[in-house]
Amino acid sequence: MENILDRLIVGKKNKAKIVLLPYTLLFPAVAVFLIFMFYPLFYTIYLSFLDWNMISPLKQFVGWKNYITLLYDPLMPVIIKNTLAYIVILLVLNCIAPYILAFILSFVIQRGRNFYKGAFFLPSVISLVVGSILYLWILNPVGGPIAIIADFVGITIPIWTKTQGMVIVVLSIITTWKIFGYNFIVVFGGVTGVPQEIIEAARMDNVPLHRIFWDIVLPLSSATGVYIFIMTIVQGLQYVFTPIKVVTQGGPDNASSNVIYNVYQEGFLLYHTGYASAFSLAAMLIFIGLLVIEFKYVEKGIYYEN
Amino acid sequence: MKISGNIKYHIVLIAALFISLMPIIFAISTSFKELSEAYSNVLGIIPIKPTLDNYLRAFNGLPLGRIIYNTFIVAAVVTIFKIGTSLLAAYAFVYFKFPGKNILYFLLISTIFIPFTITMIPNYLLVAQMGLRNNIIGVILPQLSDATGIFLIRQAMRLIPTSLIEAAQLEQASHLQILSGIVLPLIRPAVISTSIMFFINAWNEYVWPVLILKDTSNYTLPLALQLFISSEGGTDFSMAMAVAVITMIIPLGLYLVFQRYIINTFTSSGIKG
Amino acid sequence: MKEIILENICKVYGKNEIIKNLNFSIKPGEKIILLGASGCGKSTTLRMVAGLDDISSGNLYMDGQRVNDIVSGKRDISMVFQNYALYPHMTVADNICYGLKIQKLTDLEIKSRLQAVVKMLELYGLEDRKPKDLSGGQRQRVALARAVVKRSGVLLLDEPLSNLDAQLRVHARKELMKIHQAYSQTFIYVTHDQVEAMTLADRVAVLNKGRLEVIDTPQNVYNNPANVFTAKFIGSPGSNIWPAHYQDGYVHIGKQKVKLPEFWNAYIGQKNQREFYLGIRPEHMKIYHEQKNNTFIGIIKYIETYGNQCGVYFMVEGCEGIILCDNFSLKPGQKIYFSLDSKKIHLFSKKNENNIGYPEAYYDNLYKYQSV
């Protein structure tokens, strides 16, 4: 494949010109990345060694102090616990559930595939602010539609925005509403990549559906599975920022804050610029770990699936 | 036996769909109810007394025309720029061999996994320094560094049979002619769906504008909508729903028109790294 | 019409030598077929001539000019790709004229060339269709038309008929001859199909593992194979090759021996070697039911029937062989006696596997032998 390219570079006379061309084509993209991605990345590292409030002209170099503070921050256990809770809930709703639905849609039922695919994707084009406000209304404990229906059966909806634990569940559901469709489509692509004949062979041997799922579909679509697992965590934690910001501002008492929201809170509400930078870098370590897994497994899995 | 088995699964799917689509129907329905009906006839899908009052009040209470214009400009500029740069970059990555190619591609694609909090503070300082705080140009700039377009368009280009490009080279076609005459028409579906998704994402962008926009007249739609939210309750929900409908109508319309392209592009986006 | 010379052409991918020192020249207007098994480097050779692949070392000349560093668009060549490489988004007419438009020919010229090629390749009424609405044979003709319409000096064809079924192939071969008659371009044609090679070529170049085994007329390649590889490779099934030893007028295979006629003895007598590979085509042997003078003994392993003939696979002295015959009553396990047509045998040196040549008696019914 790579040697298409050889021949574009044939021709000594034009060599210099042609070798420059790819860089010219890349220049606009690379320029914005340098300014708004790579430069900020390094600047954040620099900031993480400062004691600064973003406004004052005084920037004090404090070495590793921000990182040490991080270890003893009383909020830290809460944030980590919340983040893990978000991850678990998001994975169940946006990784496991789409997998099962995609399996049903691709192997169990034949009719209406395109309709379901299109309809499930639909909410993912809508703003999460819209999602937040819709769910605020729908789950409004006083007079919201769910509260009214629950009232019929004698259940009272708690004031979830003020209830520890519950608040994370609901914010995760709002986020799920947004990202489920995308995940579903991608998983569907992976699951339908499993050759139909293999499934048919298993069915002829009377293998029950759940075994087909576990023994055949899951291993054969593992690359997609790992991809979506990681994207759920990486994107999910960022997406959930919007409902947190819009609905609870991390409350009650930081019960709905996560690593992403906490950086915003430290940086833009408390003006602990250096500390926020250190915190965001620490959080990124988790993401880098996931990135390594992604490249290891998914790159391998490509061959597996083809 | 078989039919009843399938119906069971259809019910599961329909139930899941109901949960995900119901909020949208509620929003549209409530936006046409009078405020009092919004609280008294909560479950009714068809308004008893349909009214445009909520929309009129929204336009009177907010500089909505200006806000829609801002949102459109941001989304359009971001889309055009990202598609253009992604096309050029992907073309370079697919059809050229050059020193640093793999490492550069890796660096760019890795940024998809970097959480926005990492660049948030420096970008804020940068935009502030440029004097673009509270300005939609400041909203636009940091959004341009997004590698998903390079990734998706490169995927599509790689599916073009090599021999088509070679055939064009034998005809002495220039790179510009190959890109515009051969490559672009062949990856049109991917370009369309990527553009639509870029537009929709920029239209919906909330995190970054909320950091830098201060005046209501500079707002984009998601920020305007946020004005209606308070977790304390007692909000004018029917007017909020009208603004919510205005916010989502463009993305929904675009999606419904280009659905086929979008679904196909994203079905194959996850695998084949 | 262009003369092409390949001089010490090599192609290296990483540590793999794909093409090893190719040397041959192609006369203006000649039809050269590059023949070989898959992976032998024939397509790579074609792509280097086309300028689609870099030449690692060596020189490529077209009409005396070194073209290694000339981009493919400027080499005055056109090419038919194996998968046709039709632009799926363009109509047949646009596909054919794309290159002419890039060359900025006048509309009038483009139109007249299009009409000519449409007529020659019977593409009437298909001009406005897209490739996906064409049959395989039609696509192949459009690909051919697109290459022909340029009227370049060289036409390169990369297995252009391999995606057609057998009947269409016969028709397409005729069309290729027609094109050559009309424009007398230099043809370089890659195929693994011997029938195509034999029917179309002025000369056939047989490639094996990146080396040129022989380049010669189809008749010579078939009848006077230059080396063991060519003998085995050409023909279906190919020649039998057995290690043989010559002594005192007899050729020995293992413990068995048959007497050679005098003209062979005289010829071998001049050579100072006695160890050979003996080559003979399956159709140049005869089966007997009982021992005769000058027969070998073999045991039948299995039998393939081809309808009018059958192929008898047998073992002789630990070597496998095949004979074509029309005796359908033979059974596996049976003992057979077979003789060789001594005017059809080939002897190859054991050292370099090259044909040692033929005694003069051969020349009566053979084409002149030409060594590489």
Side-chain angles (χ1 to χ4, degrees), chain A residues 269-292:
Chain A
L269 301 180
L270 305 172
Y271 295 103
H272 298 152
T273 307
Y275 183 64
S277 301
F279 199 102
S280 71
L281 285 166
M284 195 178 74
L285 284 182
I286 306 173
F287 288 82
I288 287 176
L290 290 168
L291 190 66
V292 171

Side-chain angles (χ1 to χ4, degrees), chain B residues 7-45:
Chain B
I7 282 180
K8 187 173 73 193
Y9 292 111
H10 276 293
I11 289 170
V12 172
L13 288 166
I14 298 275
L17 262 189
F18 181 80
I19 296 170
S20 78
L21 297 185
M22 212 44 216
I24 301 167
I25 296 165
F26 255 116
I28 296 170
S29 150
T30 308
S31 76
F32 291 106
K33 289 175 183 170
E34 284 178 352
L35 185 54
S36 56
E37 190 191 333
Y39 285 98
S40 58
N41 178 24
V42 173
L43 296 179
I45 297 296

Side-chain angles (χ1 to χ4, degrees), chain C residues 163-285:
Chain C
N163 291 333
L164 297 183
D165 59 44
Q167 281 162 343
L168 280 173
R169 256 185 235 195
V170 177
H171 184 67
R173 286 207 300 263
K174 280 188 214 145
E175 245 152 19
L176 285 172
M177 296 304 273
K178 203 158 73 181
I179 287 169
H180 190 257
Q181 269 160 18
Y183 299 110
S184 41
Q185 292 159 297
T186 307
F187 270 36
I188 306 182
Y189 186 116
V190 162
T191 185
H192 62 268
D193 182 321
Q194 298 188 16
V195 180
E196 272 169 40
M198 295 299 165
T199 50
L200 287 171
D202 293 327
R203 283 191 299 157
V204 178
V206 179
L207 272 85
N208 174 33
K209 293 179 187 156
R211 274 181 217 287
L212 179 67
E213 292 284 348
V214 65
I215 177 164
D216 210 335
T217 61
Q219 294 86 344
N220 277 338
V221 167
Y222 187 86
N223 294 313
N224 313 333
N227 46 40
V228 169
F229 177 83
T230 312
K232 276 204 265 194
F233 181 71
I234 300 291
S236 172
S239 295
N240 294 294
I241 300 286
W242 298 308
H245 169 75
Y246 175 82
Q247 200 173 13
D248 306 328
Y250 286 87
V251 61
H252 297 248
I253 295 175
K255 291 183 197 115
Q256 303 185 37
K257 61 177 182 180
V258 297
K259 196 167 175 18
L260 280 184
E262 203 42 49
F263 57 84
W264 265 120
N265 287 323
Y267 187 75
I268 299 171
Q270 302 159 14
K271 313 262 160 188
N272 57 358
Q273 47 183 326
R274 294 294 174 259
E275 300 296 328
F276 300 103
Y277 286 107
L278 182 147
I280 182 142
R281 294 214 167 268
E283 59 269 34
H284 296 150
M285 294 187 280

Side-chain angles (χ1 to χ4, degrees), chain A residues 94-305:
Chain A
N94 297 294
C95 201
I96 298 173
Y99 235 111
I100 293 167
L101 282 186
F103 175 68
I104 292 175
L105 195 55
S106 56
F107 295 118
V108 184
I109 61 176
Q110 270 80 39
R111 301 182 66 181
R113 260 186 216 180
N114 286 335
F115 164 73
Y116 283 120
K117 267 161 67 179
F120 276 124
F121 194 80
L122 192 134
S124 61
V125 304
I126 297 173
S127 158
L128 256 176
V129 182
V130 173
S132 303
I133 204 166
L134 294 190
Y135 275 86
L136 260 180
W137 167 237
I138 287 168
L139 296 174
N140 191 338
V142 195
I146 299 292
I148 290 175
I149 293 168
D151 208 35
F152 281 128
V153 267
I155 303 170
T156 317
I157 299 272
I159 306 174
W160 57 270
T161 51
K162 308 276 187 227
T163 310
Q164 297 247 355
M166 184 81 174
V167 67
I168 289 183
V169 175
V170 176
L171 292 176
S172 298
I173 289 174
I174 297 174
T175 310
T176 297
W177 183 71
K178 167 91 180 170
I179 64 181
F180 180 89
Y182 172 77
N183 285 10
F184 175 74
I185 292 297
V186 172
V187 170
F188 185 82
V191 167
T192 44
V194 178
Q196 189 76 36
E197 302 86 60
I198 295 183
I199 308 294
E200 283 164 359
R203 284 190 146 182
M204 268 175 222
D205 292 339
N206 229 358
V207 181
L209 277 180
H210 68 276
R211 290 295 300 274
I212 294 182
F213 181 73
W214 269 112
D215 299 345
I216 298 168
V217 174
L218 212 49
L220 286 181
S221 61
S222 59
T224 307
V226 173
Y227 170 79
I228 218 68
F229 176 86
I230 286 159
M231 287 314 266
T232 302
I233 300 175
V234 172
Q235 306 277 42
L237 286 182
Q238 297 184 66
Y239 271 124
V240 85
F241 173 91
T242 299
I244 297 175
K245 166 90 174 72
V246 168
V247 178
T248 67
Q249 290 84 46
D253 196 17
N254 289 306
S256 63
S257 184
N258 71 3
V259 285
I260 303 287
Y261 187 80
N262 196 52
V263 174
Y264 166 77
Q265 179 160 304
E266 292 287 346
F268 285 88
L269 301 180
L270 305 172
Y271 295 103
H272 298 152
T273 307
Y275 183 64
S277 301
F279 199 102
S280 71
L281 285 166
M284 195 178 74
L285 284 182
I286 306 173
F287 288 82
I288 287 176
L290 290 168
L291 190 66
V292 171
I293 298 175
E294 153 81 9
F295 272 88
K296 265 197 163 160
Y297 279 86
V298 176
E299 295 297 314
K300 253 193 241 161
I302 300 158
Y303 300 102
Y304 198 45
E305 282 191 13

Side-chain angles (χ1 to χ4, degrees), chain A residues 5-9 23 36 40-41 44 108-109 116 118 121 125 134 137 177 182 224 238 245-246 280 291 305, chain B residues 9-10 13 20 27 94-95 97 99 113 116 118 122-123 169 200 204 206 229 237 251 255 259 266-267 271:
Chain A
L5 325 164
D6 271 350
R7 66 212 143 58
L8 289 169
I9 313 175
Y23 297 107
F36 296 108
L41 185 66
T44 296
V108 184
I109 61 176
Y116 283 120
F121 194 80
V125 304
L134 294 190
W137 167 237
W177 183 71
Y182 172 77
T224 307
Q238 297 184 66
K245 166 90 174 72
V246 168
S280 71
L291 190 66
E305 282 191 13
Chain B
Y9 292 111
H10 276 293
L13 288 166
S20 78
V94 175
Y95 298 111
K97 201 179 190 177
F113 294 86
F116 64 83
I118 292 285
N123 271 338
Q169 278 171 354
I200 289 174
N204 291 337
Y206 168 75
I229 295 181
F237 261 117
Y255 171 66
Q259 188 197 40
F266 288 94
T267 303
I271 31 173

Side-chain angles (χ1 to χ4, degrees), chain A residues 3-4 6-7 10-12 14, chain C residues 13 51-52 54 68-69 71:
Chain A
N3 53 345
I4 320 179
D6 271 350
R7 66 212 143 58
V10 186
K12 280 224 173 74
N14 302 340
Chain C
Y13 279 124
L52 297 175
D54 236 351
N68 288 44
D69 297 332
V71 292

